[in-house]
Amino acid sequence: EGPKTIINEDGRLTWEAGKFEGLKVAEARERVAEEMGKIGILEKVAPDYVHQVATCYKCGTTLEPIPKPQWFVKMKPLAEKAIRAAEQGKIKFYPDRSKKVYFHWLRNIRDWNISRQIVWGIRIPAWFKETEIYVGTEKPAGDGWRKDADVFDTWFSSGQWPYLTLGYPNGKDFKKFYPTDVMETGYDILFFWVARMIMLGLYRTGKIPFRTVYLHGLVRYKDRQKMSKSKGNVIDPLAVAEIYGADAVRMALVAGNTPGNDIIISEDKIRGYRNFATKIWNAARFILMNKLVTGTAKPKFTPADKKNLKELEKTKAQVTKHLERFEFHLAAEKIYHYFWHTFADKIIESYKERLRGTDEEKKISAYATLEKILSESLKMIHPFMPFVTEEVYRKIRNGKMLMTEKW
């Protein structure tokens, strides 16, 4: 005979506990200790005794393990298909080293307990009646059936997200957009979510759910500590966005952030990119001020103009190459340094004398060169700082939307 269950799902003692039936666990422990003392079998009470117990991650309440039948998914056949898909290059991982972690999990996989005894989640579609079990969303015919109170593990539900949200199996979006291109998420849920989406997607649809997996790191404070309310080092993105602008927060999170590595963030870094947004405004304002004196004649570019425009094209090619390789941090840093240190600090400064001069032809070519570099730079900055670039671009292009332009 196995161990007896003396605590029920309401946290009270069962009939197996005899005269203590119905008591809550904490009260029952006190009462049992009293009874043991009365009959002389209590050796001592040790209030400083320390041992390990499971606790709720939200409220800290002690959790009592209760034996109960569970639902499992047999995982090895699913894992084999997911391994094969990655080995054949159908799915690429950034950084590439994360593929090793992916394989390690799948090659050592165990059957998955997908049932949870919690109050939120999707109810498991199962019905019980004496020794019978019926699986289905609708209650079977006849009397005596009771619904399983368990819910699915959240990862079992979210693991089906790629195809269910697109209207599987007959939805137009599913047929057009599945498999999707890129799945971007944190490296800490590579197995919990990404691998399970791949396994369930292959099982249900016969296709991989996405072609590329890009994993970002965790955001840490400037001293590399994990952000924690108890440490007082949490940076609220909405709060700093109110102070420095959402563009500055976005740029601070991308620049210097290599795939799969934790990122260091601080208010100083965000403030620095607010200054960059201001630099964009000031450069655009200066160029637009000179639009009034340039006229409409076709520009005749000087050798210096052609050199600067050639450097612009080179920068565009480099930024594009970084984006295509998922090197977002390098793309952001490239356009940042080009705009600030080359365009604003050098090129604009070198053109001020021409714009102030009396040679109309030189004014026209100077403005055309600066306006071209500004508008193309705004396109390159736009993925990282969409708000300021959109506003400036509409002023340059008489209300035309930047986000609808071609790269």
Side-chain angles (χ1 to χ4, degrees):
E1 185 178 347
K4 296 178 179 179
T5 301
I6 64 164
I7 303 174
N8 64 23
E9 292 185 10
D10 296 323
R12 295 179 180 274
L13 269 60
T14 68
W15 65 271
E16 294 273 16
K19 65 181 181 180
F20 303 107
E21 179 183 0
L23 294 178
K24 288 189 175 181
V25 173
E27 183 185 358
R29 288 195 173 120
E30 295 287 339
R31 292 277 299 275
V32 169
E34 289 176 10
E35 291 294 318
M36 292 173 69
K38 288 178 182 178
I39 62 177
I41 62 170
L42 181 64
E43 182 177 331
K44 66 177 179 177
V45 176
D48 58 347
Y49 183 76
V50 178
H51 64 157
Q52 289 186 329
V53 294
T55 58
C56 174
Y57 74 100
K58 285 184 177 289
C59 64
T61 303
T62 300
L63 300 177
E64 302 292 347
I66 302 175
K68 186 179 186 297
Q70 305 285 343
W71 292 91
F72 283 81
V73 172
K74 191 173 182 62
M75 297 303 294
K76 191 173 181 181
L78 302 179
E80 288 172 349
K81 291 183 179 180
I83 292 170
R84 197 153 51 244
E87 287 178 336
Q88 294 172 351
K90 293 180 180 179
I91 301 176
K92 295 188 176 182
F93 293 82
Y94 293 89
D96 185 66
R97 67 176 184 273
S98 59
K99 189 163 58 176
K100 187 175 181 180
V101 179
Y102 173 84
F103 285 139
H104 175 77
W105 273 104
L106 293 179
R107 286 169 180 154
N108 295 278
I109 202 165
R110 297 181 180 181
D111 289 345
W112 180 13
N113 173 11
I114 60 167
S115 51
R116 295 290 181 270
Q117 294 75 52
I118 52 180
V119 294
W120 59 89
I122 301 173
R123 290 280 289 269
I124 290 179
W127 304 80
F128 298 94
K129 180 173 142 179
E130 296 175 351
T131 58
E132 294 182 74
I133 300 177
Y134 172 81
V135 178
T137 56
E138 299 294 331
K139 183 179 179 180
D143 298 327
W145 291 99
R146 59 184 177 84
K147 182 78 169 65
D148 192 337
D150 289 358
V151 299
F152 284 122
D153 173 18
T154 184
W155 298 113
F156 182 76
S157 306
S158 57
Q160 301 174 68
W161 175 82
Y163 55 88
L164 288 182
T165 54
L166 294 175
Y168 173 83
N170 299 315
K172 290 182 180 178
D173 285 346
F174 173 75
K175 293 177 180 178
K176 183 175 182 179
F177 295 113
Y178 189 93
T180 54
D181 284 330
V182 182
M183 165 52 60
E184 196 278 352
T185 189
Y187 67 73
D188 54 328
I189 54 175
L190 170 60
F191 177 75
F192 293 107
W193 192 31
V194 176
R196 285 164 173 167
M197 283 190 285
I198 294 171
M199 286 187 283
L200 294 177
L202 286 168
Y203 172 77
R204 201 78 186 101
T205 72
K207 298 178 182 177
I208 54 172
F210 29 74
R211 299 180 181 89
T212 300
V213 175
Y214 182 96
L215 300 170
H216 65 251
L218 304 179
V219 180
R220 296 186 180 274
Y221 196 56
K222 59 184 178 182
D223 55 6
R224 291 194 172 273
Q225 287 191 50
K226 183 178 180 181
M227 288 191 186
S228 167
K229 280 188 260 185
S230 61
K231 294 177 181 177
N233 64 355
V234 174
I235 294 179
D236 181 350
L238 297 179
V240 290
E242 283 290 323
I243 300 171
Y244 303 110
D247 281 332
V249 178
R250 288 171 60 106
M251 191 70 163
L253 287 168
V254 176
N257 184 9
T258 55
N261 292 326
D262 292 348
I263 179 175
I264 307 303
I265 197 73
S266 67
E267 195 166 339
D268 289 340
K269 185 178 181 182
I270 298 169
R271 187 184 298 112
Y273 287 113
R274 187 273 312 274
N275 296 341
F276 180 52
T278 302
K279 195 76 172 180
I280 295 171
W281 274 112
N282 291 339
R285 186 181 296 115
F286 172 78
I287 293 168
L288 284 171
M289 282 170 52
N290 286 277
K291 189 174 185 179
L292 301 174
V293 297
T294 57
T296 57
K298 188 175 181 180
K300 294 182 180 178
F301 294 116
T302 66
D305 297 335
K306 293 176 181 178
K307 178 176 178 292
N308 289 329
L309 291 173
K310 187 175 182 181
E311 186 173 8
L312 169 68
E313 293 303 313
K314 182 180 177 182
T315 301
K316 286 166 61 178
Q318 291 171 333
V319 171
T320 302
K321 191 174 183 179
H322 287 315
L323 289 176
E324 288 175 343
R325 292 179 173 179
F326 295 89
E327 298 167 341
F328 305 122
H329 60 298
L330 296 180
E333 290 161 13
K334 183 68 183 179
I335 185 55
Y336 168 85
H337 288 296
Y338 171 77
F339 189 93
W340 192 312
H341 303 302
T342 299
F343 180 48
D345 289 353
K346 295 180 181 178
I347 296 176
I348 291 179
E349 288 298 319
S350 69
Y351 276 60
K352 286 182 177 179
E353 187 175 343
R354 282 170 60 181
L355 293 171
R356 287 194 295 261
T358 57
D359 190 322
E360 193 70 17
E361 188 175 277
K362 287 185 177 180
K363 286 184 179 181
I364 293 170
S365 61
Y367 173 79
T369 302
L370 294 178
E371 195 270 351
K372 173 72 172 177
I373 296 175
L374 174 62
S375 61
E376 292 301 305
S377 294
L378 292 173
K379 291 181 182 178
M380 290 185 277
I381 301 170
H382 185 68
F384 311 104
M385 305 181 80
F387 301 106
V388 63
T389 52
E390 185 70 64
E391 186 69 20
V392 172
Y393 193 83
R394 291 191 191 193
K395 292 183 182 299
I396 296 172
R397 290 285 189 261
N398 298 318
K400 191 173 183 181
M401 291 179 66
L402 171 55
M403 68 182 299
T404 60
E405 292 280 42
K406 290 186 178 181
W407 179 255

